[in-house]
Amino acid sequence: EADIYQTPRYLVIGTGKKITLECSQTMGHDKMYWYQQDPGMELHLIHYSYGVNSTEKGDLSSESTVSRIRTEHFPLTLESARPSHTSQYLCASNEFSGRLNEQFFGPGTRLTVL
Amino acid sequence: AQTVTQSQPEMSVQEAETVTLSCTYDTSESDYYLFWYKQPPSRQMILVIRQEAYKQQNATENRFSVNFQKAAKSFSLKISDSQLGDAAMYFCAYGGGSNYKLTFGKGTLLTVNP
């Protein structure tokens, strides 16, 4: 299995709470991604980073924010959680290796906002 | 923009039989990679097989093989001798050129019947 970790694996919180989903990888990859996976299992890219101090919004608009202060760490923050944020969040990473851009995925965080 | 289409939301197969999952994509690029990922229930997404577009030979990984038709922009996955552990959501993904991001299809849920 790939060395990419996400914590917590499961989180149930109340509306209005601030939360941070953690993602870290030990592979030295410079590129990292956050996906939101809806109940139908479709993946939506919400944030990505191509290196330290570089973050971009993905294809799906999200109220979450991300930061990339260290290569191995790419946390996602929701300032005020709402029930509409209930979803599974997947973190992934890859590196430039020739032109191969296979992504490695973490186990995911399943978030429920009550 | 690239698109990936998986036309089969669900498929089922009998144990030990063969099943083929379909994937088509649209791109104007000539150099790209294609992937099949597997996401078992409540488990991590893992890479099943990859195909470089410049290679004419179809990729194989043990019981998994692809039928890559570049002109038709088709990339199907064949699973031979299906096993109960093959039950999962399967995603087809496209990665092109210097864009490190992947474009995913909506997925095909595979059920393996004993």
Side-chain angles (χ1 to χ4, degrees), chain B residues 8-89:
Chain B
Q8 306 152 316
E10 297 183 21
M11 291 281 286
S12 64
V13 63
Q14 291 297 125
E15 199 174 0
E17 297 294 309
T18 295
V19 65
T20 298
L21 309 184
S22 301
C23 173
T24 59
Y25 59 95
D26 187 26
T27 183
S28 58
E29 296 174 318
S30 58
D31 186 21
Y32 52 88
Y33 288 80
L34 296 163
F35 306 89
W36 278 99
Y37 280 89
K38 169 185 177 182
Q39 187 179 29
S42 300
R43 292 182 60 189
Q44 204 154 342
M45 180 108 73
I46 59 172
L47 180 70
V48 174
I49 197 166
R50 70 170 69 87
Q51 174 78 42
E52 293 96 321
Y54 65 89
K55 288 188 176 180
Q56 292 185 338
Q57 187 171 5
N58 289 324
T60 62
E61 288 287 343
N62 301 313
R63 298 182 294 106
F64 298 87
S65 61
V66 299
N67 183 3
F68 174 49
Q69 301 290 327
K70 190 172 184 179
K73 296 178 181 174
S74 171
F75 182 60
S76 60
L77 174 69
K78 186 172 83 171
I79 306 174
S80 304
D81 185 26
S82 297
Q83 301 175 359
L84 296 177
D86 294 333
M89 181 69 86

Side-chain angles (χ1 to χ4, degrees), chain B residues 99-114:
Chain B
N99 185 351
Y100 306 107
K101 294 186 287 183
L102 295 180
T103 301
F104 286 87
K106 292 186 177 182
T108 297
L109 180 63
L110 177 67
T111 302
V112 180
N113 300 309

Side-chain angles (χ1 to χ4, degrees), chain A residues 60-110:
Chain A
L60 179 69
S61 176
S62 173
E63 294 168 345
S64 58
T65 59
V66 293
S67 63
R68 190 87 183 276
I69 299 173
R70 303 199 313 269
T71 297
E72 63 272 20
H73 195 214
F74 190 41
L76 180 146
T77 297
L78 278 166
E79 290 293 333
S80 180
R82 296 207 300 267
S84 60
H85 296 139
T86 294
S87 190
Q88 166 134 287
Y89 293 84
L90 299 180
C91 181
S93 70
N94 64 356
E95 63 177 349
F96 183 71
S97 176
R99 289 168 293 182
L100 179 60
N101 49 4
E102 170 191 352
Q103 289 184 12
F104 297 87
F105 283 82
T109 293
R110 186 166 296 281

